[in-house]
Amino acid sequence: QVQLVESGGGVVQAGGSLRLSCAASGLTFSSYYMGWFRQAPGKEREFVARISRGGGVSTYADSVKGRFTISRDNAKNTVYLQMSSLKPEDTAVYYCAAGAVGTYQYTYWGQGTQVTVSS
């Protein structure tokens, strides 16, 4: 059974930082590219960041570029999202996901972790 479990969410003031973690199990972690998505109330789920299998290539949404950093530790089966200079508009439930190379879809999703940025 594949499981992706996010952690590290919480409440932080604008301008602050937070690091999210996503622990994976039940899959060959290093065979999957990993992504972070978020969904705010009343809005569609949006892409945040993606990282390649080996961690050498990362992609970011324009809205977070320069503020967020995605990384992974394949030995720990964990992907991270370091968030800095947080803004109230970053408030959302953040999800991690795993995708098999050669597909255009993320195959597995976590349950999400809430991030709230206050003014």
Side-chain angles (χ1 to χ4, degrees), residues 3 10 28 52-53 66 75 89:
Q3 285 191 305
T28 303
S52 61
R53 291 171 293 173
E89 51 262 45

Side-chain angles (χ1 to χ4, degrees), residues 10-111:
V11 180
V12 63
Q13 291 189 349
S17 299
L18 202 63
R19 188 178 78 158
L20 306 182
S21 299
C22 173
S25 61
L27 78 170
T28 303
F29 184 71
S30 60
S31 295
Y32 291 82
Y33 59 89
M34 300 295 297
W36 285 97
F37 294 78
R38 66 187 183 185
Q39 186 169 25
K43 294 187 176 181
E44 297 295 318
R45 183 177 62 192
E46 65 174 340
F47 167 80
V48 175
R50 184 187 73 184
I51 189 167
S52 61
R53 291 171 293 173
V57 180
S58 300
T59 304
Y60 299 92
D62 288 342
S63 59
V64 307
K65 193 171 297 182
R67 301 188 298 119
F68 290 12
T69 301
I70 188 171
S71 62
R72 67 191 294 165
D73 187 337
N74 286 347
K76 297 180 179 179
N77 285 9
T78 302
V79 61
Y80 305 93
L81 185 68
Q82 177 66 51
M83 305 183 293
S84 300
S85 301
L86 283 163
K87 306 174 181 179
E89 51 262 45
D90 294 319
T91 295
V93 176
Y94 283 71
Y95 300 88
C96 70
V101 173
T103 76
Y104 295 95
Q105 294 282 338
Y106 287 88
T107 307
Y108 305 107
W109 294 83
Q111 85 289 349

